[in-house]
Amino acid sequence: MKNLSSNIDVFVNLYQARVESISTIKSSNPDVFVFDDIFKKVLYVALLDSLSKTVFPNRNNRDRIVSLLQSFCDWKEADKISLPHLLRLLEKAPDPAFEELRTFAFSQIDLWERGKIISLEQDPTAESVKTHWPVEKEHRLPIEGVSMDSLKHAHLFYTYRNSLVHEFRHPGIPFEIRKDGLPYYIGRLPDSTEHPELESMMFSEWELNYPLGFFKDLCLNALRTLGDYYTRNRIDPMSFFDYGSYWLTELN
């Protein structure tokens, strides 16, 4: 038990130090300072990938990361449905079967005030969307491959992660009014706005932003929650990694 406790402390402290190191990164080339956020976000999601392996080692990559966000990152809106993404899905699928859901979605988005920053608290819950989703013999999808789960923020975060890792870019058209805090939407603004610098941007109706500080918060929240979880369940997080000399797991 003494070794276990020590391993947990070493692991958590090491990863907390890595989180803080990521936050201090600055580009040495002033011409590419705009990429600083991408550099940091790529490293933060790599760290989340690593942590997910310690609690969901037998799941695929998407399931591991989504489950980590839902269970260990203290993200209250992880399972909420992104309302603008839902509306876009329904716009591309005019099937009358989804008229009730469409009416519900319009009633919700009409409450959002243009030109304001909208928090994810105003997104609908999965349960409220499900009550308006058509029930048939088989689960009906407006567009093949896009399910209700696809619209949850935990799944959208994984999509964001893939854009960072595989394409080295943010998804959508990000414009981070805030660098810290929780995710938010910024909408297309009327003629007179409190953010005139956005008027020339080609925004969709509402742009979703996951700010840089949010990535750091997810990592720190996960480490705090996981540290307690490891201890309660007597899990050694180090046991899920190879520390031998050989790159092939089978040779260590």
Side-chain angles (χ1 to χ4, degrees), residues 56-124:
F56 305 108
N58 301 314
R59 301 191 189 186
N60 64 45
N61 205 47
R62 172 184 283 274
D63 285 348
R64 284 207 325 260
I65 295 171
V66 168
S67 296
L68 182 78
L69 294 168
Q70 292 170 325
S71 302
F72 291 99
C73 290
D74 194 24
W75 186 11
K76 295 179 176 59
E77 289 82 23
D79 282 326
K80 282 203 164 188
I81 301 293
S82 172
L83 185 55
H85 283 79
L86 173 62
L87 280 165
R88 178 58 174 166
L89 174 64
L90 295 172
E91 179 185 341
K92 292 177 71 69
D95 189 330
F98 293 91
E99 185 172 2
E100 180 185 334
L101 178 58
R102 200 173 291 110
T103 299
F104 167 76
F106 286 146
S107 72
Q108 298 300 300
I109 203 74
D110 286 344
L111 300 175
W112 293 16
E113 187 176 352
R114 297 265 186 94
K116 298 294 183 183
I117 291 176
I118 303 295
S119 76
L120 270 54
E121 290 180 353
Q122 297 189 49
D123 273 327

Side-chain angles (χ1 to χ4, degrees), residues 45-57:
V45 298
L47 193 142
L48 290 170
D49 280 17
S50 182
L51 293 179
S52 71
K53 184 178 179 180
T54 67
V55 279
F56 305 108

